[in-house]
Each structure stands twice: as C-alpha cells, then as structure tokens.
Amino acid sequence: MRARSLIALMLTSAAIVLISHPIFAKGDPQAGREVFRKCQACHRLEPAQHQVGPPLANLLGRQAGSLKEFSYSQALEEADIIWTEDTLNKFLASPQHYLPGNQMHFAGLRNEEDRENVIAYLKQAVNAFPRHAPVSPEGTKLQQVNSTESVAAYTPDLTLTLKTGIAEGRLVFIGVGADIEGEVNPTLEVHKGEVVQINLVNGEGTTHDIFFPEFNARSEQVTTSGSSTTLALRATSAGEFTYYCTLPGHREAGMEGRLLVRETPREELAKARDIVRNPNDVPQPVGDRESKKLELGLEAVELEGELAEGTTYHYWTFNGTVPGPLLRVRVGDTVKLKFANDIDSDIIHSVDLHAVTGPGGGAAYLQVPPGEEKSITFKALIPGLYVYHCATPMVAHHIANGMYGMILVEPEGGLPPVDREYYVMQGEIYTQASFGKKGRQEFSVEKLLDESPEYFVFNGATGALTQDYPLHAKVGETIRIFFGVGGPNLTSSFHIIGEIFDRVHEWGGLRNRPVEGIQTVPVAPGGAAIVELELEIPGKYILVDHALSRMERGLRGFLYAEGKEKPAIYQTGASFESDDRHPIRR
C-alpha cells in the first residue's frame, strides 16, 4: 500500500513538472511574437533600450515601476504590483481600468488568446537576454540557439537542406528542395527573428561541416556518404553573411555561400498595403454658394504599408492613406466632424484641426480608443489651407507615422477656377535601420527626438509622386497645388525645378492677395501654402524640397507637361544671333 502511494506521489510530481514545462504552458510564443509587434511602437525587448515605454526584457517577476533609469508615471511608481502572468493578463486587458492614472495610451488586448500568446512570448524572452550576453573571440554576440532558451524558442521557423558534392571540378554545397533545389552554393534567404534549421547531408564521402561565423553556429562533421547532421541558429541581425566548410582547404576549393537575412518578417511582406494618397484626389471646389451645415468623417487606421520597393513600415493613418483626405468647406459652414478609431487599432488616436477654434483644435475631446467614435461641431471662421494631425502623446510619434492631412476653408465666392488641382504633403519617417534597407522597418524614437529622419516622403512613400502617381497636365493649363508639411519637425523649401510659381498664398492664408513670381516657398511643419502656375513648355518637371540632399532620401515628385514646343521661350542647341555677346571666358 505504501509502495502504491509512493508511486502515485511520484506520478503526481512528474505531472506537475510536465505541466510547468514551457511545452505545456498556455499561449503560443510564436503567435505572441506577432502580437508583440504591435507593442514595439513603444517598447523594446532588449534590456536598457528605452523608447516611449520601458524595456520588457525579464518583465515577469519584476516589481512594477522598478527600473531606476526609466521615468514612470506616478501611478506605476506607487503601484504595489509584481508582474506575474495573472497581473500582466489583467493589465493588458485594460491598462487604464486595472491601474488608473498610468500614462499608457494602449487601449488593451481584448482577445484573451492574444494576451496568453504575448505573455508566453515574454516568458520565452526571459532567457533570450541574459544580463551579460556571451561574446565570441571576434567580439560578435553568440547567436546560435542553445540550451538556455525554452523549447518553443527553437522550434524552427524555416528548415533548409544542403548536400555536399562536386560541381565543375570543385567542392560545393548543393541546395535540396524548395527554391534552392540543385543550386550550387545557394544564397539562403531568411528573415530577421526566424529560427532556422540547417540540414547538412554528405553527398560524396569526404568529411565536411558547415559554419555561420557571424552567428557562431557550427555543425558537427559528416564523414561518410549519406550521413547527415543539423544545426539551428536565430537570425537576429539583418544583412548579408557567409557560410562555409571549415575543413582545411575546403572553403578555398569552393565550399562557400551567402546567408541573406531580410529585415522584414516573412509573413508581413505580403501584408503591405498601398498607403499613398493620390494627389489627384481633390474634392470639387465649393464654388459660389451660401454657407451650410456639413458632416465629415475621419477614421484612424493602423496598417502595414509599403514605404519603398521591398520595404514596409507600420503606418498610423487617417482613412488608410498618407496624408489623410483633403477636407473642403466654405467659410461660415458649420461642420460636424465624426472621428472613429478602427477596432483593430492598438492605441488611442485623436485629431487636431488647425482650422478649428476650440481647445486642442478638437483634440481635447477627440481622444478615441479603438472601436469607438466621437464627434465635434465647429464653425469655419477664417478662410485658408490648414493642417490637421493626431494629437495623442507622443504627438510627434503619431505624426511621423503618417497621421496628418489638410482642410481647405474656401472664401466667400470660392477660389478662382483653374484647370487642375493637386494635393501634396511632405513628411518624415524615422526608422531604426538606415535608408534603403529592405524589409520591415521599425520606428526609432531616438532619431525622432534627434530630428534625424531616414526617409523624406511626398504623400507617404518614396515613389508616391514618381512611380505611383506622377502629376500630369498640358501646356497652357493652369494648375493649383495644395501643399502642406506634416513634419513633424523639419521645414520644407518647396520648389519645382524648371518652373516659377505665378501666384503663392503664403502660409496657406486666403485673406490677403497672393504674392507673384516666386521661385521657392518655405513651409513650416504644421503649415501650408497654395501655389499656382501655368505650364508653358512641355517636359518633365521635378517637385523637390530645395534642401536638396533630401532627394537622396526619397523626396521627389514628377510633373509631366504635354504639348507643343515654344522655341521663343525655350530651345536647346539652336543657332542664335545675339545682340550683345559675352562669350565664355577660359
């Protein structure tokens, strides 16, 4: 009887151990990694890497508000909370309800499965960032998956197989299966953050191994034909790296290939959407009408958008584009503005309209959590072109992520008619990686505060007005450009190379007469200008900020003018009889 009781006790203890093992824990760390990307707008996982919020490395078991190097809200500093799975689950469900007075603008994860998954991911991350990361002799942090990480951490995201062989008289690795079948020393393409399993098969009987030096990942040797081994590594750094066989002379004999780690997570490449606002998307002119009551709507939408070819960014937008829609009203109109926040948003958003006379330009009231809607009513008092933007802390972060647009308040009688109107806004994007990196780019609060953007954009993306929606007009037509700067930080010197602005409404004002014959127009962040010109010569004209180095970071647009040449105004290479010659001096 005592023996049976002892056996039962041992089985019960074993069951407890198994249930506590990560394999049996609630939540899926891999799914939690996807959820955590929403948190990365404010938090990092690396220790001491502060952003808007504190780092979340080794969070479980920590006292709330306990990192001495981070400035918390008073509510968090005074909270008597230890972060456990239970307390974290309650906090993530509704931060403001669980801990009133904290400064998080995150509305919470309403889906319990999402909370369980992200908590599982945070638990996994405990061992991913030890207090002192091991370092290789070359100074590179060791990145090979090892026994200190949970089992879930090295369930591979991707498995690749290489077979050793001989091709064209040299020793090589040969790809097996999928996209690398039969390729000699194939380029292995993976994505940052993935755990990759490499299967190595001996194809010709000579001893070999495979080594990824930047990740300090080396396989065992395979010594006979048909023998095989595996290794696993975590692709923690984006870039181009090498792999090779370390046996003497084998690398020199041809056994070397490339490992390409893309910045963008694999599943998010397909999700990227076109966020560019078509510059032709301009509402009809108000015309000569009486003032009236109008109802307009805006919606905050967070989405993964295409910043450049092969490069994505997590934008925050009004109505799914950058900039948001151009709103068009008449002075004296009474406007009801409905502002909604998409239910799939992660944080609170708002709108501040510079055309509104009232607290915060409406933003004092229009702080809207995900899935909710609020409205204000205002009277358009002064004609002009005005910026609107999100005004939820950190305000500059929301604007830099794409939350800006413009509202035009036309004067009595409307604006003089022109042949074409365009809507163009300039903005800045602050990414952790340098300009031109492929893949999914993460926001950098450090670069934002340093006012050092990696990208400058017209209408949201680098190719918006060159590849997606270049401007088109005909010679002899008059065009009007409603131009604004979302910013959030830098002033634009708006210029069209090869043209002169016939009329400019400086600062977007419509009470004064326009100035005439202007080459370049300074427009401050949160400011606007209305420029008008008549096209006289056919060809391609370039829209720029005359701080011209910004062209190298994506800021340019094209205006194509079609029509007949006018040699009396402009011609190239023609004979010419001058009245007064001043030849080039050499």
Side-chain angles (χ1 to χ4, degrees):
M1 187 71 176
R2 288 180 60 191
R4 284 199 298 269
S5 298
L6 181 59
I7 292 171
L9 179 61
M10 291 171 64
L11 288 173
T12 302
S13 301
I16 292 171
V17 170
L18 286 172
I19 291 171
S20 65
H21 193 276
I23 294 176
F24 296 93
K26 285 200 299 184
D28 178 357
Q30 298 301 320
R33 183 174 64 181
E34 303 305 310
V35 179
F36 186 75
R37 290 200 181 100
K38 302 175 181 179
C39 309
Q40 286 178 314
C42 297
H43 297 280
R44 297 283 292 276
L45 268 179
E46 296 89 336
Q49 295 295 309
H50 307 309
Q51 289 197 191
V52 177
L56 301 184
N58 308 313
L59 178 67
L60 292 171
R62 194 166 79 203
Q63 170 79 34
S66 61
L67 294 180
K68 294 181 180 180
E69 63 273 22
F70 187 80
S71 178
Y72 292 92
S73 65
Q74 185 176 352
L76 266 169
E77 286 181 348
E78 296 177 353
D80 187 19
I81 297 174
I82 300 294
W83 293 122
T84 64
E85 291 184 52
D86 180 60
T87 57
L88 191 54
N89 182 56
K90 292 175 180 176
F91 181 77
L92 289 174
S94 180
Q96 297 298 335
H97 181 266
Y98 183 69
L99 185 60
N102 79 82
Q103 294 177 352
M104 281 190 68
H105 288 277
F106 174 61
L109 291 171
R110 293 168 294 282
N111 185 300
E112 184 174 359
E113 183 179 0
D114 284 348
R115 297 197 300 273
E116 290 179 353
N117 290 342
V118 78
I119 291 170
Y121 178 63
L122 291 173
K123 286 176 64 179
Q124 170 187 302
V126 168
N127 291 320
F129 300 100
R131 187 173 300 274
H132 298 291
V135 176
S136 70
E138 295 80 11
T140 305
K141 289 185 180 179
L142 304 184
Q143 305 294 354
Q144 185 171 5
V145 173
N146 56 64
S147 60
T148 66
E149 297 179 280
S150 69
V151 172
Y154 57 84
T155 301
D157 299 298
L158 178 67
T159 300
L160 299 169
T161 300
L162 296 173
K163 186 164 127 178
T164 66
I166 299 174
E168 299 178 354
R170 37 182 206 134
L171 291 171
V172 295
F173 296 104
I174 301 171
V176 177
D179 296 334
I180 60 173
E181 175 65 39
E183 289 189 20
V184 173
N185 294 331
T187 296
L188 307 179
E189 293 193 24
V190 304
H191 295 258
K192 185 177 176 181
E194 288 183 331
V195 174
V196 185
Q197 178 176 311
I198 307 293
N199 300 330
L200 180 64
V201 180
N202 190 312
E204 31 61 61
T206 305
T207 299
H208 299 289
D209 64 8
I210 189 168
F211 180 44
F212 296 81
E214 288 85 0
F215 299 93
N216 202 46
R218 186 196 306 265
S219 75
E220 295 179 336
Q221 294 181 355
V222 287
T223 57
T224 58
S225 180
S227 63
S228 62
T229 188
T230 66
L231 65 84
L233 62 88
R234 186 187 299 281
T236 55
S237 301
E240 292 189 13
F241 309 99
T242 58
Y243 66 86
Y244 55 87
C245 178
T246 68
L247 273 293
H250 287 200
R251 182 181 187 184
E252 293 75 10
M255 299 190 76
E256 180 177 2
R258 285 194 317 142
L259 172 67
L260 176 61
V261 182
R262 296 193 179 278
E263 185 78 27
T264 307
R266 183 177 304 275
E267 64 282 357
E268 296 202 15
L269 285 172
K271 291 181 182 178
R273 286 170 49 184
D274 179 10
I275 53 81
V276 170
R277 169 65 61 175
N278 186 334
N280 298 286
D281 189 5
V282 178
Q284 289 296 313
V286 167
D288 188 7
R289 67 162 173 82
E290 297 296 319
S291 60
K292 61 182 181 181
K293 294 181 179 179
L294 297 174
E295 187 172 296
L296 302 173
L298 291 172
E299 182 182 24
V301 181
E302 301 174 9
L303 52 85
E304 193 73 18
E306 186 175 6
L307 171 59
E309 186 176 355
T311 303
T312 67
Y313 186 74
H314 191 67
Y315 289 87
W316 299 342
T317 73
F318 290 109
N319 293 32
T321 65
V322 180
L326 177 65
L327 308 178
R328 195 164 193 166
V329 303
R330 176 201 185 276
V331 68
D333 283 348
T334 300
V335 183
K336 180 178 181 180
L337 178 74
K338 290 184 176 180
F339 177 60
N341 192 353
D342 184 66
I343 194 168
D344 292 327
S345 293
D346 296 315
I347 57 177
I348 294 169
H349 294 294
S350 62
V351 58
D352 165 8
L353 299 100
H354 291 185
V356 170
T357 301
Y365 179 72
L366 294 175
Q367 299 287 336
V368 181
E372 297 185 20
E373 179 184 297
K374 293 182 181 180
S375 64
I376 60 168
T377 300
F378 67 91
K379 191 161 187 172
L381 297 178
I382 301 175
L385 180 62
Y386 300 93
V387 169
Y388 64 80
H389 59 83
C390 184
T392 301
M394 176 197 306
V395 177
H397 183 188
H398 286 248
I399 295 173
N401 276 10
M403 297 197 77
Y404 51 84
M406 290 199 291
I407 177 171
L408 173 64
V409 181
E410 292 199 35
E412 293 182 18
L415 291 173
V418 293
D419 294 305
R420 299 177 188 266
E421 292 182 326
Y422 301 103
Y423 174 34
V424 177
M425 290 195 75
Q426 180 172 324
E428 307 140 22
I429 296 179
Y430 298 81
T431 60
Q432 290 180 13
S434 59
F435 175 84
K437 286 285 186 179
K438 301 298 183 182
R440 186 181 191 274
Q441 301 305 305
E442 301 290 346
F443 167 73
S444 169
V445 69
E446 293 87 359
K447 291 179 182 177
L448 174 66
L449 296 177
D450 289 340
E451 301 184 10
S452 180
E454 290 294 335
Y455 292 82
F456 290 89
V457 294
F458 287 137
N459 288 27
T462 60
L465 303 187
T466 55
Q467 299 171 4
D468 298 335
Y469 301 106
L471 281 56
H472 290 272
K474 294 180 179 179
V475 167
E477 290 184 331
T478 53
I479 67 173
R480 176 182 290 137
I481 300 176
F482 300 111
F483 180 78
V485 176
N489 291 319
L490 302 177
T491 295
S492 173
S493 299
F494 185 53
H495 176 75
I496 298 181
I497 298 175
E499 261 294 353
I500 299 168
F501 301 133
D502 297 321
R503 291 167 298 280
V504 175
H505 292 275
E506 295 178 294
W507 309 298
L510 287 171
R511 278 186 164 177
N512 300 322
R513 292 179 59 84
V515 293
E516 298 181 351
I518 303 300
Q519 58 184 325
T520 301
V521 182
V523 182
I530 303 172
V531 302
E532 297 173 356
L533 61 149
E534 179 180 342
L535 295 170
E536 296 172 307
I537 305 298
K540 181 174 78 173
Y541 299 85
I542 306 175
L543 283 67
V544 297
D545 177 341
H546 216 289
L548 287 173
S549 61
R550 296 173 186 178
M551 289 182 69
E552 308 308 315
R553 292 183 176 270
L555 193 62
R556 71 187 74 188
F558 295 155
L559 167 60
Y560 292 98
E562 299 177 4
K564 294 183 179 180
E565 300 283 350
K566 292 185 180 180
I569 298 176
Y570 178 81
Q571 58 181 309
T572 59
S575 60
F576 181 71
E577 293 296 330
S578 66
D579 296 323
D580 188 6
R581 294 190 65 194
H582 294 277
I584 297 172
R585 298 181 185 275
R586 298 191 183 277

